């Protein structure tokens, strides 16, 4: 009895699978199976990867300000350095100047954003 020819399910490969032991086989080899899984995870984890990438950029921008001893920085200046306020996560609420303020942390750097003055203040450690 002749086996049907199958096509590899890896979107980058699509080679024919001619000789297979099990009818459940969907990839031509292990590297194709691994690559297909990697591509699938890239799509599934896209949001997490974006947050991770922008958190790293935000940290680098804040580090540059600390190196220059600038603890109150205009938001537009930080934006030029690659800072993106849309990717800030897990704020903690503190009372600063009789106002409840969201304080953010990236690694060891803590800061808050004053919306009225459009200034980001880095809290000295």
């Amino acid at each position: 009895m002749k086996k049907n020819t199958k096509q590899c399910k890896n979107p980058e490969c699509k080679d024919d699978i001619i000789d297979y032991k099990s009818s459940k086989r969907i990839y031509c080899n292990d590297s194709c199976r691994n690559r297909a899984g990697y591509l699938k995870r890239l799509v599934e984890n896209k949001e997490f990867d974006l947050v991770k990438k922008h958190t790293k950029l935000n940290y680098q921008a804040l580090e540059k300000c600390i190196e220059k001893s600038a603890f109150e920085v205009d938001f537009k200046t930080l934006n030029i350095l690659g800072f993106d306020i849309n990717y800030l996560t897990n704020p903690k609420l503190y009372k600063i100047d009789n106002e409840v303020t969201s304080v953010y942390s990236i690694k060891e750097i803590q800061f808050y954003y004053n919306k009225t003055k459009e200034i980001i203040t880095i809290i000295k450690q």
Side-chain angles (χ1 to χ4, degrees):
M1 185 170 139
K2 186 177 179 185
K3 294 181 182 178
N4 293 336
T5 302
K6 297 172 122 185
Q7 202 173 39
C8 182
K9 297 291 183 182
N10 179 358
E12 293 179 344
C13 179
K14 303 281 187 187
D15 283 347
D16 289 335
I17 306 171
I18 299 168
D19 187 29
Y20 52 91
K21 294 177 184 175
S22 171
S23 61
K24 294 178 184 177
R25 186 164 185 170
I26 57 175
Y27 300 106
C28 59
N29 57 37
D30 284 343
S31 64
C32 272
R33 179 178 49 84
N34 291 337
R35 182 68 180 169
Y38 170 76
L39 294 172
K40 181 181 173 190
R41 285 187 301 279
L42 269 181
V43 172
E44 290 173 352
N45 298 330
K46 185 176 181 181
E47 292 175 32
F48 296 108
D49 291 339
L50 273 174
V51 170
K52 186 177 177 181
K53 174 186 171 188
H54 285 284
T55 300
K56 183 179 179 181
L57 290 172
N58 288 348
Y59 179 74
Q60 289 171 348
L62 291 170
E63 250 186 345
K64 288 177 186 175
C65 293
I66 291 172
E67 286 173 9
K68 303 283 184 186
S69 297
F71 294 100
E72 282 194 357
V73 185
D74 183 36
F75 178 70
K76 292 175 185 174
T77 305
L78 271 175
N79 206 1
I80 291 169
L81 292 173
F83 190 88
D84 192 347
I85 201 161
N86 296 320
Y87 291 95
L88 296 179
T89 57
N90 301 328
K92 292 182 181 176
L93 299 176
Y94 291 101
K95 195 169 190 177
I96 299 173
D97 298 331
N98 295 325
E99 244 180 72
V100 176
T101 307
S102 298
V103 176
Y104 300 94
S105 295
I106 302 176
K107 295 185 182 180
E108 76 282 353
I109 300 174
Q110 292 183 332
F111 60 96
Y112 62 92
Y113 176 54
N114 186 332
K115 293 179 184 176
T116 55
K117 296 179 183 177
E118 291 194 356
I119 291 176
I120 289 185
T121 305
I122 300 169
I123 301 169
K124 295 179 185 177
Q125 298 269 324

